[in-house]
Amino acid sequence: MKKIILISCVLLMAAHAWAEKKNLKITEKVSDLDSGIVVMGTLSDNKFDTMRFKNNSFVYEGFISETSPMVIADDKKRYQIFFADPNSKIEMEVQMQNINVTSIKGSASNDTMRRLTGLQEPMHQAAQQIKQAYQRPGINQDSLSQILGLISQELQRTFKQFIREHAEMEISAFAVYSSLANDRNLNIAFADTLIDMLKGKARSSFYGRECDKLMNKIKAVTKGYMAPDFTLKDSSGKPYTLSKYKGKYVLLDFWASWCGPCKAEIPHMKKAYSAYHDKGFEIISISIDAKEDAWRTALKQFQMPWVHILDVRGEKGSTSDLYHTPSIPKTLLLDKTGLIIDTDLRGPMLEQRLSQLLDN
């Protein structure tokens, strides 16, 4: 009898603890479908629940330790992001056929983020229209470029002002992180300024910490910064350590067997390697192929006489933890100390640069 009572108490305590962990409730009203599938979860930890809704509504309950970007999606992976605060009860209206959140109540952070979107969205639309106008015959492209430059400056000004005014809000950390991750022409100094503006909870939040990690990775592929050291194995299992190549000029080549532009560069790299290897030039090709067989087949096909490494993303020691390479091909030319002196030298540009460095 005592054992039964003890087990019951343990179960009750576990149920109570689970209930305490649920500090977020989202009630959804679906305006365009009576029933269907909805996916909901937090973007930061990529944990999502798939639920079936009926009678035009559903309820999602979960736990978040800090203000978090949430995702609502359908079974076709169309999605929209919104923001939720801990200990909040949110009411939403959504059109599931095109994943359009038409109303959100109960999330102060989402309201704040919408103000930033409201400020910047008209400028983004104007910039897009100007880019489309470039294709029109007889258009003055210099004038359009000047206007785009002014729009870019205003976007930066309003964004910086928003971060300054909301420096301690977690959504600011997410906004900065998204800006860093999506800007192909990132200004390092401006990015450092934005991160330094984050204070308190924003700085210590998940995305505040991710900003630091991402900036380190971005600097690792930027001219004027040192390339981070790594050790990975080649196709025979032999380990290669980047720092052991100090004293040589090294081209780090991020590629994959399925990447057409990567393969188009191989003849140019072969020519450069043949001309300058004996003068102190080395190539380390780092493949991000998910399938090892495809990588090995490509090595046999193209017969590239330099170091080749398969970098399995997600495994410990992966260069994806050190270098920001969201797209390939990506090449970094390092000097004899490991400093990045050039990036993305395409076609004959690599051989021309090596001639400047190694031809007496």
Side-chain angles (χ1 to χ4, degrees):
M1 183 67 179
K2 288 183 179 180
K3 182 180 286 189
I4 294 174
I5 293 173
L6 179 61
I7 293 173
S8 298
C9 288
V10 170
L11 292 173
L12 284 170
M13 290 172 64
H16 181 65
W18 175 248
E20 283 185 336
K21 280 192 172 183
K22 291 186 177 182
N23 65 349
L24 173 64
K25 183 176 182 179
I26 302 173
T27 303
E28 293 262 3
K29 179 181 178 182
V30 181
S31 61
D32 60 345
L33 288 176
D34 178 69
S35 61
I37 298 293
V38 63
V39 179
M40 181 83 76
T42 49
L43 188 62
S44 54
D45 59 12
N46 286 315
K47 291 182 179 179
F48 302 101
D49 292 334
T50 300
M51 301 168 285
R52 183 172 293 277
F53 67 89
K54 58 183 180 179
N55 299 325
N56 303 97
S57 64
F58 67 91
V59 175
Y60 170 87
E61 292 184 297
F63 174 82
I64 51 175
S65 59
E66 62 185 22
T67 297
S68 302
M70 305 288 296
V71 174
I72 179 171
D74 62 10
D75 53 358
K76 297 181 179 65
K77 296 184 179 180
R78 296 175 298 185
Y79 68 93
Q80 188 166 338
I81 295 174
F82 63 98
F83 296 86
D85 300 313
N87 304 308
S88 61
K89 294 181 179 180
I90 297 174
E91 295 180 0
M92 297 178 63
E93 292 186 11
V94 60
Q95 296 171 340
M96 286 301 299
Q97 289 183 322
N98 58 357
I99 305 298
N100 179 31
V101 177
T102 57
S103 174
I104 298 181
K105 297 177 181 179
S107 173
S109 291
N110 195 76
D111 293 341
T112 303
M113 183 60 86
R114 286 186 66 184
R115 287 197 286 274
L116 173 63
T117 305
L119 280 172
Q120 295 208 316
E121 187 59 31
M123 288 183 276
H124 284 300
Q125 292 177 357
Q128 187 61 35
Q129 291 173 357
I130 292 171
K131 289 176 183 177
Q132 293 172 355
Y134 267 91
Q135 310 304 321
R136 297 174 188 168
I139 199 76
N140 188 328
Q141 294 189 354
D142 289 339
S143 296
L144 293 182
S145 296
Q146 290 178 2
I147 296 172
L148 278 176
L150 292 173
I151 292 175
S152 177
Q153 290 176 16
E154 184 61 14
L155 282 168
Q156 285 195 358
R157 187 193 68 79
T158 55
F159 189 77
K160 188 175 180 180
Q161 180 179 340
F162 176 87
I163 301 302
R164 182 183 295 111
E165 291 175 354
H166 305 90
E168 295 196 15
M169 293 186 70
E170 292 100 326
I171 56 169
S172 291
F174 176 82
V176 172
Y177 176 82
S178 298
S179 175
L180 302 184
N182 296 314
D183 190 346
R184 291 181 175 271
N185 300 303
L186 183 69
N187 182 297
I188 296 291
F190 180 69
D192 278 335
T193 297
L194 292 176
I195 294 175
D196 288 342
M197 289 170 65
L198 299 175
K199 307 297 180 184
K201 290 191 297 182
R203 197 74 181 86
S204 61
S205 69
F206 173 83
Y207 283 102
R209 300 190 302 273
E210 288 298 303
C211 282
D212 289 329
K213 295 178 185 177
L214 182 56
M215 273 306 297
N216 288 335
K217 291 168 64 174
I218 290 172
K219 288 177 180 178
V221 295
T222 300
K223 183 177 178 179
Y225 291 88
M226 298 296 294
D229 198 18
F230 60 84
T231 299
L232 290 170
K233 295 179 181 179
D234 68 3
S235 57
S236 67
K238 180 181 177 180
Y240 283 89
T241 300
L242 177 61
S243 57
K244 291 185 177 180
Y245 286 86
K246 286 186 176 180
K248 294 184 177 183
Y249 287 96
V250 177
L251 184 75
L252 289 184
D253 165 44
F254 296 90
W255 77 296
S257 65
W258 45 261
C259 170
C262 301
K263 291 184 284 188
E265 292 299 318
I266 292 174
H268 300 287
M269 289 194 293
K270 280 186 173 182
K271 189 177 179 183
Y273 187 82
S274 176
Y276 293 102
H277 176 61
D278 291 340
K279 295 183 178 183
F281 172 60
E282 188 58 80
I283 299 177
I284 301 176
S285 283
I286 303 168
S287 170
I288 64 169
D289 275 289
K291 297 180 180 179
E292 183 174 342
D293 289 345
W295 171 60
R296 291 184 180 276
T297 299
L299 295 185
K300 290 180 181 179
Q301 177 184 355
F302 293 107
Q303 295 294 307
M304 299 168 282
W306 52 79
V307 178
H308 288 275
I309 291 169
L310 179 64
D311 187 10
V312 181
R313 299 281 164 117
E315 289 193 359
K316 186 177 180 180
S318 169
T319 58
S320 63
D321 295 331
L322 301 171
Y323 295 84
H324 186 57
T325 54
S327 60
I328 53 174
K330 182 70 183 180
T331 60
L332 311 174
L333 182 61
L334 316 184
D335 72 2
K336 295 180 180 182
T337 69
L339 182 74
I340 302 169
I341 56 173
D342 271 302
T343 65
D344 301 317
L345 295 171
R346 300 281 185 259
M349 293 173 64
L350 172 61
E351 191 173 1
Q352 292 167 5
R353 185 70 173 103
L354 291 172
S355 176
Q356 295 172 357
L357 296 168
L358 295 171
D359 283 338
N360 295 323

